[in-house]
Amino acid sequence: MPSEIAIGIHDLSIASTQYMLTHATLAAQNGANLGKYERGIGQRSMSMPALDEDIVTMAAAAAAPILQRHSADRIRTVVFATESAVDQAKAAGIHVHSLLGLPSATRVVELKQACYGGTAGLQFAVSLVHRDPAEQVLVIASDLSKYDLGSPGEATQGAAAVAMLVSAAPALVRVDEPSGLFTADVMDFWRPNYRTTALVDGRESISAYLQAVEGTWKDYTERGGRSLGEFSAFCYHQPFTKMAHKAHVHLLNYCGREVDTGAVDRAVGPTTAYNAVIGNSYTASMYLGLAALLDNADDLSNRTIGFLSYGSGAVAEFFAGTVTPGYRAHLRSAAHRAVISRRQEIDYARYRAIHEHAFPVDGGNYPVPRETTGPFRLAGLSGHKRIYELTSNPHLEA
Ligand code: CAA
């Protein structure tokens, strides 16, 4: 159901990290059956940051190609969604604003509600553009997911950023009304301020997610949303790719539909290609699913996609998007595949060193050795401040 003005995702670009660890390497180390990772949770590898990469460098790398293709003149708001923030006060988006040379007449804000934050950013952006259709909003979702070594969550780590330019007359996907909303106070996954790794009750988190699927769909249909048969594909939040399959089976059961495994695979399978090798990127995860779908599926012009965004704690939203005819001319499929293929595989020892690394917290001067071949890097820490720099790098593509 379109609003009067078509508003949605005009451009979309992804970024990830320098390194990746395969689940074969993890399984060889911890004795797990590789089938549990590759078929049970649907993950083959996970992105790992170099020491000079973080949510800011990934975010800037994702957003830079958007600013190379479009002028920044109409961008007056940058929304940065993350649950792996680098500061408790300053919005990480201000570092990105600076690295990308955005105009000073911009509002920049950081949003948090676990993995749901990117969708909050997208919906807020749609509202801002509705108020003034001449404006565009840069929405960035960027996260590093980190669990304790040896914990069940370890195999679901990952890292990525997705940048989206939200505007009127979007070239890719129109965001439709209504939305189905759901909030419940559950402690399924959380990270107290004093911890660098997340805490999770794995089974509780899956069941909380499935409750949210029901809750959002109920609200969506009560508010006059589309019927199940009108959707060509479903993008679910993917903490691990099998979760998208579980969620869709649950939705079909809830709607009293027969569950045909082939149909479930067709509805969600094309959305899992990037997440299966990148891992959980929290706020970015569902939009990586959208990128994979648009990049790899047959022509989806005028087709409707269902989006189910879930953030532990828990907040969820179901909404529909309609794909713009001619969208394929605006995709960045080759660049997205390069984001994945350029990562260097690391061995278990290197992974462990990255996992255990912590910067000193005494406020001294600590240059960070150059590791990333990406376009932006964390150059060092000084006086409790993070210092970022642009590298001269060929991976910056329009
Ligand atoms: N071959 C094929 N499949 C196998 C297998 C084998 N050899 N061995 C096991 N499996 C299957 C199991 O049957 C199971 O499948 P089902 O769930 O369909 O039954 C699957 O592999 C996983 O096995 P386990 O349940 O035994 O795995 P586990 O106890 O190690 O934990 C997990 C799995 C709970 C997802 C854990 O990885 C975890 O805690 N992850 C982090 C939390 C998470 O991602 N929660 C998801 C919802 S919360 C959310 O979405 C927000 C967010 O981003 C965190």
Side-chain angles (χ1 to χ4, degrees):
M1 259 144 273
S3 64
E4 285 164 43
I5 322 167
I7 300 171
I9 303 168
H10 191 49
D11 196 358
L12 184 151
S13 161
I14 74 169
S16 190
T17 56
Q18 183 69 17
Y19 301 131
M20 65 93 168
L21 179 79
T22 67
H23 283 77
T25 299
L26 184 63
Q29 175 66 30
N30 67 13
N33 187 306
L34 186 55
K36 170 174 165 174
Y37 293 153
E38 294 193 338
R39 293 191 302 282
I41 61 170
Q43 294 302 130
R44 297 201 304 279
S45 62
M46 45 199 182
S47 288
M48 283 290 139
L51 295 188
D52 55 351
E53 292 178 321
D54 64 12
I55 56 159
V56 170
T57 63
M58 290 193 298
I66 289 183
L67 293 165
Q68 286 186 331
R69 185 183 284 179
H70 309 271
S71 149
D73 294 355
R74 293 170 60 192
I75 299 176
R76 286 177 56 79
T77 304
V78 176
V79 180
F80 192 119
T82 189
E83 56 182 299
S84 29
V86 293
D87 195 278
Q88 299 278 35
K90 178 171 176 145
I94 301 176
H95 293 296
V96 176
H97 175 274
S98 168
L99 286 167
L100 300 180
L102 287 166
S104 59
T106 309
R107 64 165 80 79
V108 181
V109 70
E110 188 166 307
L111 284 183
K112 179 184 71 179
Q113 183 6 70
C115 309
Y116 170 72
T119 297
L122 174 64
Q123 294 291 358
F124 296 166
V126 168
S127 302
L128 282 171
V129 175
H130 203 267
R131 196 174 71 174
D132 180 358
E135 288 190 17
Q136 297 178 323
V137 179
L138 181 62
V139 177
I140 307 173
S142 183
D143 267 307
L144 299 157
S145 70
K146 190 171 177 184
Y147 295 88
D148 284 341
L149 291 167
S151 70
E154 184 182 14
T156 65
Q157 297 173 120
V162 174
M164 295 178 278
L165 187 64
V166 175
S167 82
L172 299 181
V173 177
R174 184 185 75 211
V175 173
D176 294 339
E177 296 172 13
S179 278
L181 304 176
F182 180 80
T183 288
D185 185 2
V186 280
M187 292 302 281
D188 60 327
F189 164 104
W190 68 107
R191 184 168 68 82
N193 286 346
Y194 50 82
R195 286 183 63 97
T196 57
T197 50
L199 295 166
V200 63
D201 179 338
R203 288 289 132 196
E204 168 73 14
S205 71
I206 292 171
S207 124
Y209 184 133
L210 298 178
Q211 285 300 311
V213 170
E214 286 182 26
T216 54
W217 182 259
K218 181 171 180 295
D219 188 47
Y220 178 72
T221 49
E222 284 171 1
R223 295 177 70 85
R226 293 173 188 271
S227 63
L228 209 51
E230 291 179 68
F231 292 91
S232 296
F234 289 81
C235 283
Y236 288 91
H237 167 56
Q238 295 172 40
F240 50 93
T241 64
K242 263 294 151 65
M243 190 67 222
H245 294 257
K246 280 183 193 295
H248 198 55
V249 167
H250 194 80
L251 179 61
L252 294 176
N253 280 328
Y254 179 68
C255 294
R257 298 291 183 96
E258 200 177 316
V259 174
D260 166 347
T261 313
V264 172
D265 289 347
R266 283 192 294 281
V268 302
T271 72
T272 61
Y274 296 162
N275 285 283
V277 290
I278 283 178
N280 194 355
S281 56
Y282 292 157
T283 52
S285 158
M286 190 179 79
Y287 299 98
L288 276 186
L290 172 62
L293 176 69
L294 296 179
D295 287 347
N296 299 309
D298 291 341
D299 191 3
L300 290 164
S301 294
N302 289 317
R303 300 291 187 90
T304 302
I305 301 170
F307 293 88
L308 187 286
S309 179
Y310 175 75
S312 289
V315 177
E317 178 162 348
F318 184 93
F319 63 98
T322 303
V323 181
T324 309
Y327 72 99
R328 285 176 139 178
H330 306 279
L331 295 177
R332 301 174 177 278
S333 314
H336 291 171
R337 288 183 198 115
V339 161
I340 288 165
S341 62
R342 69 174 275 268
R343 297 170 306 161
Q344 297 163 2
E345 184 178 345
I346 52 174
D347 62 15
Y348 183 80
R350 182 81 187 105
Y351 156 68
R352 191 159 178 136
I354 290 170
H355 197 286
E356 290 175 341
H357 176 267
F359 287 114
V361 293
D362 61 6
N365 294 327
Y366 296 102
V368 181
R370 184 181 292 260
E371 274 185 76
T372 183
T373 57
F376 303 95
R377 64 183 295 272
L378 175 66
L381 283 80
S382 179
H384 295 291
K385 296 170 197 148
R386 294 172 91 85
I387 299 156
Y388 293 97
E389 67 182 15
L390 176 67
T391 66
S392 49
N393 190 280
H395 290 291
L396 199 54
E397 291 166 23

